[in-house]
Each structure stands twice: as structure tokens, then as C-alpha cells.
Amino acid sequence: MNVVNVNANGAYEIVLGNQTLSTIGARIKEKTRASRVALFSDSEVAPLYLERVAKAISAVGLTPVMLPAMPAGEAHKTPETLLALLNDLTQAGLTRHDVLVAVGGGVVGDVGALGAALYLRGIRAVQVPTSLLAIVDSSVGGKTAVNLPAGKNLMGTFTQPLDVVVDPTLLKTLPEAYWADGWAELIKYAELGEREIRTLLNDPLDEARFLTLLTRAVEKKRDIVEADPLEKGERKLLNFGHTVGHALERLTDYQLSHGRAVAIGMRLVTKAAVKAGLCPEKRLVALEALLARYGLTDNVPVTLAAVMACFQQDKKRTATGLDLIVPVGEDGCEVRPYSWAALDAFLAPAFNGSPA
């Protein structure tokens, strides 16, 4: 088992290893005064794993409370789903000493942690990510949110979890289509300059190397989050590919998955950076090869004008434009501020009249 310690507006641990799920009850009992533990999941994951979590909770004398499962999918990451969760927590009678465990992918983790942060002005939450994307990205760092009609993740808080329990054996039931989302985020870390992650992604992965890959990704995010818990500076680097990606998600009514949208975003911004002379063309070639290796070759028939319109609702915008994460030089990325006009001009060569 690997343990990654995080200290970002609160200290917690991320434990990674096969069968770590069985330790969740003991970890909650050791760290809290809880007597009841609410289990929150979605309609796809709940039948697979909630009974196992409940068993681990009951084994240490705590009472598991099965909350109604939310409908699965990004389309249900809404204020209505959040309100339903808050009402369910109220009806269950949880106190401020009790704990919520979110078992699922990024949507469940975001909704569950936000609900915990709001209920009774805050109870503790444990993340049990069951997708590759949630393991290497959304379960780490304390971002919680739901979507609004105007855009993605516009309603949320920064609230660090009590614990993150990563059990890679849970990925055995992950549908093949969802793996691509996680691979996209791992490729993002490689583009941020994590050479060991790049090497691991380019080589065959056995069980041990896969656990190392997960741990290195979590450590990279930990380091950035600790330096910038509220995303005022360095943490913005984690948004490489995401600004364009979030726009593509919205323009496809979330039919395009998060990771596939981010992959397109990374490719477009890198292409624009090459055209602008910020990085060599071999970076784009290497990125496209790595994306292809993991099946991330999607195109979307949208225009730059439509993407720019979505940027106007991006949560990271300023009064005059927004910060974009761009690849610079042989390795790594930088946060660069752009006015709206400069951003349009920067991205235009990457679109070049063809699908994103």
C-alpha cells in the first residue's frame, strides 16, 4: 500500500493499494467521532460496491446509512441532484460528527463532497474513486461542484476530504469507454513535465507499474495543490486542455466525455502554441502519438466562435479575458493571460476551419 500525505487547508491521506477498501471503516473510526456513515453513489456504481463499503463500516461498529443513488452521468451533476442529497441527509438524521462516503466517479465525488460541505455547514467526507479519472484528478485537491445551465462547475467550494481511499481492484468493472477519460488526465501530467509519468505511459503497464503510475500522478497533483490550494496561481496548470475541453463538453450537451474533451483541448492548444512559436512541432507530434496510443483521437464539429462564446461563462475568466495553460519549449507548460481578442487570434490557426 502507498500513502500520499496532503496538507492543503487541512491534512489528510490518500491511500493506494489493492484491497484498501476493507480499511475504510477503521480509518473513519480512528479519525472521527462518527457513529453513522452515509454512503452515497450513483445508479451504476451502487449495485457493484456499496454493500462492500457497508460491510467494512459495520465491521468496526459504525452504522452505514444507504442513501438513494443519484442517476449516473454528467447530465445529473446539477443543483437538483445536490438538493436531493441534502434532503436525504436531513431525513437520515446525520449529525455534524457523522461522515459521508462518496463511492463513484468524478460526478459522485463532486456532488457528494459538495453536499457534505453544505449539510449542517459541513460534515466530513471520504472519497472512494471508482474510475481512473477520479483517482488521478477529481478525488484529490478538494474541488467540489455541480454544473449550472450556463456552464460547468459554476457552483461549488474548495473543501478538503477526510480521506481518499484508492483501491485499483475497483477498476476491474470500469467500462472500457471510461478508461480514456483517465488516460487523458495522466497524459496531461506528462505534458506538465512529469517525465516518469510519460515513460510509464509509453511502456507496457503491469500491476506494479500501474500502481506506481497512479501514485506519481497523485503526488504531482498533491504538490501543486499544497502550493496553491485555492487555485490562485500554480494550480491553474492543472487546467491544461480543460478550458477548451469544458467548452466542448457544454457544446455537445455533455455527450462528449470529460477526458475526451480535455484531450481535444490539449491537442488544439498545443497546435496553437506551435503555430505561435512557443514550442517545437515535435511536442505536438509526441502528444498526438500518446493520445492515439490511448484511443483519444476524437474530433468535434464546432467553431472557434462557439468555443469563444462558452469562454465567456468560464469560471476562470477575468473582466478582460482569461488565463490559458500553454505548452512552452521542450517540456512543461505556463499560465499565460490573454485578452479576448488575443485569445481568439492565438487559437484561430489551431481550428483552421476544421473540426476541433
Side-chain angles (χ1 to χ4, degrees):
M1 181 175 72
N2 296 337
V3 179
V4 178
N5 293 291
V6 184
N7 192 351
N9 286 351
Y12 60 97
E13 292 180 330
I14 304 164
V15 294
L16 305 97
N18 293 345
Q19 309 308 322
T20 53
L21 189 62
S22 64
T23 70
I24 191 169
R27 296 182 66 83
I28 291 172
K29 188 166 187 177
E30 176 187 355
K31 298 182 178 186
T32 73
R33 294 165 56 191
S35 59
R36 307 179 79 207
V37 179
L39 306 184
F40 178 65
S41 190
D42 67 25
S43 54
E44 292 181 352
V45 175
L48 297 173
Y49 296 122
L50 237 54
E51 286 294 342
R52 283 178 57 184
V53 179
K55 184 177 180 180
I57 298 296
S58 300
V60 296
L62 301 177
T63 301
V65 178
M66 297 285 201
L67 299 177
M70 67 170 282
E74 185 79 27
H76 301 286
K77 188 180 170 183
T78 62
E80 292 75 19
T81 300
L82 174 65
L83 183 59
L85 169 59
L86 292 171
N87 284 328
D88 291 337
L89 289 169
T90 301
Q91 292 177 9
L94 266 70
T95 72
R96 284 181 171 173
H97 297 301
D98 294 327
V99 172
L100 180 144
V101 176
V103 184
V107 172
V108 167
D110 274 12
V111 175
L114 180 56
L118 294 174
Y119 179 67
L120 301 181
R121 297 197 175 99
I123 65 173
R124 301 308 302 273
V126 174
Q127 294 275 6
V128 180
T130 61
S131 72
L132 182 58
L133 173 61
I135 289 172
V136 301
D137 184 48
S138 60
S139 70
V140 181
K143 282 186 177 181
T144 74
V146 294
N147 303 331
L148 298 181
K152 186 176 172 74
N153 294 335
L154 295 183
M155 179 181 178
T157 67
F158 287 94
T159 305
Q160 303 299 332
L162 172 70
D163 252 345
V164 181
V165 178
V166 176
D167 189 335
T169 64
L170 304 187
L171 296 178
K172 291 179 179 178
T173 57
L174 185 67
E176 185 65 29
Y178 291 98
W179 279 87
D181 294 324
W183 295 129
E185 292 290 346
L186 286 162
I187 291 170
K188 175 193 74 177
Y189 290 122
E191 292 299 309
L192 293 180
E194 288 302 301
R195 295 181 181 180
E196 184 178 4
I197 290 177
R198 183 181 296 278
T199 298
L200 287 164
L201 286 170
N202 276 303
D203 291 341
L205 288 170
D206 58 18
E207 185 175 287
R209 289 172 65 82
F210 183 60
L211 182 59
T212 298
L213 176 63
L214 298 182
T215 304
R216 294 295 173 267
V218 166
E219 288 173 337
K220 174 64 174 178
K221 185 161 188 181
R222 181 272 314 273
D223 293 344
I224 292 176
V225 167
E226 285 187 343
D228 181 20
L230 301 181
E231 200 174 46
K232 301 298 185 182
E234 183 182 1
R235 187 169 178 173
K236 293 179 182 179
L237 289 169
L238 295 171
N239 290 314
F240 178 49
H242 285 61
T243 302
V244 174
H246 287 169
L248 297 177
E249 286 182 85
R250 184 180 168 203
L251 289 169
T252 60
D253 197 24
Y254 300 102
Q255 295 304 301
L256 183 69
S257 72
H258 174 74
R260 292 187 176 279
V262 167
I264 295 172
M266 289 191 292
R267 190 180 74 235
L268 287 170
V269 173
T270 302
K271 184 177 180 180
V274 171
K275 296 288 187 180
L278 297 176
C279 67
E281 187 171 4
K282 66 181 182 180
R283 280 204 66 175
L284 177 60
V285 172
L287 171 62
E288 289 181 333
L290 197 52
L291 292 173
R293 179 184 176 93
Y294 288 96
L296 295 161
T297 57
D298 306 83
N299 289 306
V300 179
V302 298
T303 64
L304 176 57
V307 170
M308 289 293 297
C310 286
F311 287 167
Q312 298 293 329
Q313 300 297 329
D314 191 283
K315 62 184 179 297
K316 301 177 291 298
R317 72 191 184 280
T318 67
T320 58
L322 56 75
D323 292 342
L324 191 68
I325 316 308
V326 296
V328 176
E330 300 283 338
D331 205 9
C333 296
E334 288 183 1
V335 181
R336 294 202 166 200
Y338 287 87
S339 68
W340 295 120
L343 183 60
D344 187 275
F346 174 73
L347 289 175
F351 279 77
N352 197 27
S354 60

